[in-house]
């Protein structure tokens, strides 16, 4: 059985936020909720990287462990989903998740925290596949349509990969073998310079 | 003078009554469509038609190998 995973190739991510926009549009996610977001690492310094983050559908998910009403479940493909009919909006999963994946709409009556919302790997929820109730609560179920998460499919540089973990690992391994890693990457010296290279002497008779 | 005072009081009571009824009607109207009847709690069923290697998915994997 295939195991669904995301992986973000930081050498390719250009921080366009196309994945974030596609996700919000596909699932009609309300204002204030971002199932996916792009974070910058070492922002503004040489070696800066950006990374697209959402629920990583952990194999040993801490959100499942801490949920007091046990509203989480894992599908056969390893996708971690939750039942909004059971969720009480306590926020324990938010504190437990190392990726900040669980989101809570703030616009509920009396300012209460609403039911938790998170990335579903475009796999919907416990309701009938493709039903209106499923779409309203969890968004579109693309896996049932024979497709993959839209964020991964729209990624223009194919930095964000989503799908069968075995296939993704093979793709990523091939990339690393082709381009190398670290300073071996093609274009590295152009973009970031060579720290160990001696300073270039000024050309004689340079431009005035 | 007394008759005019009575009329004012009637107008006040009429206004208060109509306002109260319309406020109650508005509250009921706002509340009614807010929440559909709760769906029965569904047990997590393993998805029968989940991930599968369709032509669409295979095409995605091909493009990711570039």
């Amino acid at each position: 059985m295939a195991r669904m995973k995301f992986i973000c190739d930081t050498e390719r991510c250009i921080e366009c936020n196309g994945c974030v926009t596609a996700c919000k549009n596909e699932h009609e996610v309300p204002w204030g909720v971002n199932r996916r977001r792009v974070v910058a690492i070492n922002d503004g310094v040489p070696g800066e990287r950006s990374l697209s983050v959402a629920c990583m559908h952990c194999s040993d998910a801490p959100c499942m462990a801490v949920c007091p009403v046990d509203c989480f479940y894992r599908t056969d493909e390893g996708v971690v989903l939750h039942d909004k009919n059971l969720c009480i909006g306590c926020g324990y999963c938010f504190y437990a998740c190392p990726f900040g994946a669980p989101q809570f709409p703030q616009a509920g009556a009396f300012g209460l925290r609403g039911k938790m919302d998170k990335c579903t790997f475009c796999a919907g929820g416990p309701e009938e596949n493709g039903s209106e109730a499923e779409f309203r609560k969890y968004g579109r179920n693309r896996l049932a349509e024979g497709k993959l998460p839209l964020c991964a499919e729209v990624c223009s540089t194919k930095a964000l990969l989503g799908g069968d973990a075995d296939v993704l690992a093979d793709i990523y391994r091939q990339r690393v073998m082709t381009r190398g890693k670290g300073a071996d990457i093609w274009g590295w010296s152009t973009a970031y310079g060579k720290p160990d290279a001696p300073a270039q002497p000024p050309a004689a008779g340079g431009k005035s | 003078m007394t008759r005019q005072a009575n009329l004012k009081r009637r107008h006040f009571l009429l206004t208060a009554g109509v306002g109260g009824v319309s406020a109650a009607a508005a509250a009921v109207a706002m509340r009614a469509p807010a929440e559909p009847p709760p769906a029965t709690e569904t047990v997590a069923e393993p998805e029968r038609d989940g991930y599968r290697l369709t032509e669409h998915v295979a095409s995605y994997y091909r493009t990711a190998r570039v």
Side-chain angles (χ1 to χ4, degrees):
Chain A
M1 176 59 72
R3 191 171 48 135
M4 297 296 103
K5 285 293 174 190
F6 283 122
I7 184 172
C8 185
D9 188 344
T10 55
E11 299 295 342
R12 287 192 174 205
C13 181
I14 57 174
E15 205 175 352
C16 69
N17 278 279
C19 49
V20 178
T21 310
C23 175
K24 282 188 77 85
N25 187 62
E26 178 76 350
H27 303 299
E28 298 184 9
V29 179
W31 286 100
V33 173
N34 279 310
R35 292 183 178 182
R36 176 169 287 285
R37 62 200 179 282
V38 179
V39 298
I41 301 169
N42 294 331
D43 196 6
V45 300
E48 171 190 343
R49 291 287 183 276
S50 53
L51 182 68
S52 179
V53 183
C55 174
M56 299 300 281
H57 302 279
C58 308
S59 300
D60 186 11
C63 55
M64 295 182 78
V66 299
C67 180
V69 293
D70 202 15
C71 75
F72 291 92
Y73 62 98
R74 182 181 286 106
T75 67
D76 289 343
E77 298 97 8
V79 179
V80 176
L81 298 176
H82 70 296
D83 189 341
K84 286 193 178 181
N85 290 342
L86 300 179
C87 175
I88 58 175
C90 67
Y92 280 16
C93 52
F94 176 78
Y95 295 113
C97 177
F99 303 103
Q103 303 277 302
F104 292 89
Q106 299 287 327
F110 309 113
L112 290 175
R113 201 156 39 187
K115 309 244 182 209
M116 189 272 279
D117 190 272
K118 78 172 188 70
C119 161
T120 63
F121 207 86
C122 289
E127 278 78 6
E128 185 186 353
N129 285 339
S131 64
E132 175 62 24
E134 184 189 51
F135 177 75
R136 190 158 39 82
K137 291 179 188 170
Y138 309 98
R140 203 169 303 281
N141 190 339
R142 292 174 58 86
L143 244 56
E145 298 172 2
K147 300 173 183 173
L148 286 170
L150 187 63
C151 53
E153 290 198 5
V154 303
C155 182
S156 56
T157 60
K158 288 291 176 280
L160 180 62
L161 300 174
D164 185 355
D166 290 339
V167 179
L168 300 190
D170 190 43
I171 293 173
Y172 193 75
R173 186 182 303 110
Q174 188 63 41
R175 286 185 186 181
V176 172
M177 288 171 62
T178 303
R179 74 187 176 201
K181 59 180 177 55
D184 297 333
I185 295 174
W186 182 86
W188 180 278
S189 58
T190 306
Y192 304 115
K194 292 182 178 176
D196 298 333
Q200 295 290 327
K207 296 176 186 175
S208 58
Chain B
M1 191 66 180
T2 310
R3 180 172 179 77
Q4 190 156 1
N6 285 342
L7 280 176
K8 281 183 180 175
R9 190 171 59 189
R10 284 180 190 174
H11 285 155
F12 170 75
L13 291 173
L14 183 63
T15 308
V18 170
V21 169
S22 51
V28 170
M30 286 176 62
R31 185 177 176 180
E35 195 68 33
T40 53
E41 291 180 357
T42 50
V43 181
E45 292 281 341
E47 294 189 7
R48 301 288 178 235
D49 49 352
Y51 171 80
R52 55 203 180 275
L53 190 60
T54 61
E55 180 55 35
H56 184 94
V57 173
S59 170
Y60 167 76
Y61 288 148
R62 271 198 305 276
T63 58
R65 287 184 189 280
V66 174

